Structure formats: structure tokens, C-alpha cells
Amino acid sequence: SLTEHCIPNEDKNRLPMFDAIITDLLTNRKIKNKENRKNSPKQEKETLLLEIHGGSPGLKDLSRYITKWRSHSESNDNYRPFFAFTIVRDPTAHVMSYFNFYYSTRCDFQWCEREPNGHTLIPREDTMNEKKEQLLKTARQSPNRQCFLLNHASNVEGMHSSFYNKCSVNEEDCNHIYSNIMRSTLDWVGTAENMSSELIPLLSYVL
């Protein structure tokens, strides 16, 4: 599939492995809770909080696993409320942050984004004009990088710019990932700009 074709090689096997870990955690919790109920029926239910932050395919592929985990968590003999959420960022702020992280200084870590020749991105001369040129270049390379990541890969670990060319996204792709996947798979979608006023109070209430 196109999505499979657009996932960096090192990410392809991570999601099944992650799924196995999550399923095992849910199963062990199920057994543990049964034992707890026998010993102390009034014991409070425990909360399992999981964060997926990079290193796996995007939400387009991840959504079927979220649905599976929800079903497993809410099964009749192991019912626990399931709440899935994500946050997105203002597009302009995201472009600026991406540029500062990958272009303003040399990124030599294994997870850095790479050029087609396999080399890590190297910043140009530290002048305002050069930075402006590079900023515009990264913005044109992937006009909506958040949409790209949601569709294909949750991060850019070891990825080079050719992925943006062969796996480009358009407005229809972005509308689909929001209307048909995010809204049907997730319970809440927030914004990074309102993290303090919305996300923190929400998690405080849920947890």
C-alpha cells in the first residue's frame, strides 16, 4: 500500500511489537485486577497511561490498533474506560520549530532527518538571509508536515527528503485523516497552544 511504501524501513516492524507489548500489559492488568477483586473487592481501579511519541507509523495505521486496544480494555470481563487523545500544533509554529530543530544547528543523532545522500542536514551560514532561505525551503518541501506525519509516520527518524516527494499529501488527505480517522478513533483532539488551559485540566480530571 502507499502507506506501507511511505514508512521508513526501520519503523515497519515497530508497531506490531508495540501492539504485543500493549496487549500484554492489558492482559496482565486483567489478571491482576481479578486477583485484587478477590482479595479486596473495594480496591480502587488502577489507571494505565500510555504515550506514543514517535517511532511508529502515523495515525492512519495506528488507528486500527487503537480500536483493538479500546475493545480489549472495554471487554465484558475486563471493563475499564478507554480514552485516546492527541494534540496538534499551529502550522506556522510547527514549521518554525521543525526548522530550528533540524536546520538551525547540525543534527548528528541517529534519528535526525537526512538528505537523499544519507547525510544529516547541515545548516548554512548563520545569517538572517540564509536562515530565511532554508526556512522557506523546508516549508515548501512539505507544506503540511503534520498532515504528512499523521498519514505516514509519527516522526522523521532517519528519514530523508525523498519521502516527502513520493509520499506527498494534499488537502483531501488532510481532511480525510481528520474527518474519517481522528474523529472516529480518538476521544479528544487538542492543540499545543492550549495545553495548559485544556489538556492539563482534562488529564487531571481523567486520572
Side-chain angles (χ1 to χ4, degrees), residues 77-93:
D77 59 346
N78 182 44
Y79 180 78
R80 292 293 183 275
F82 185 94
F83 186 80
F85 71 94
T86 192
I87 57 174
V88 293
R89 193 169 185 178
D90 175 79
T92 301

Side-chain angles (χ1 to χ4, degrees), residues 104 123-131:
S104 62
R124 296 177 182 273
E125 295 179 16
D126 189 18
T127 66
M128 187 61 67
N129 288 336
E130 290 288 357
K131 285 189 174 183

Side-chain angles (χ1 to χ4, degrees), residues 97-108:
S97 176
Y98 180 90
F99 171 78
N100 287 329
F101 191 79
Y102 284 106
Y103 283 86
S104 62
T105 58
R106 179 172 180 139
C107 185
D108 287 324

Side-chain angles (χ1 to χ4, degrees), residues 6 15 32 36 55 65 68 75 114 118 150 160 170 180:
C6 293
L15 191 49
K32 180 180 178 181
N36 288 340
Y65 289 95
K68 173 187 175 182
S75 61
R114 299 177 181 276
L150 285 167
H160 53 68
N170 53 37
N180 298 86

Side-chain angles (χ1 to χ4, degrees), residues 8 10-11 14 54-56 94 98 101-102 107 109-114 121 141-142 145 148-149 153-161 163-164:
E10 56 269 32
D11 278 354
R14 289 179 178 169
S56 62
H94 188 274
Y98 180 90
F101 191 79
Y102 284 106
C107 185
F109 297 102
Q110 183 180 0
W111 39 259
C112 295
E113 185 176 16
R114 299 177 181 276
L121 303 175
Q141 184 181 58
S142 182
R145 189 171 279 101
F148 173 89
L149 296 175
S154 62
N155 65 1
V156 293
E157 182 172 344
M159 189 169 68
H160 53 68
S161 58
F163 277 98
Y164 293 120

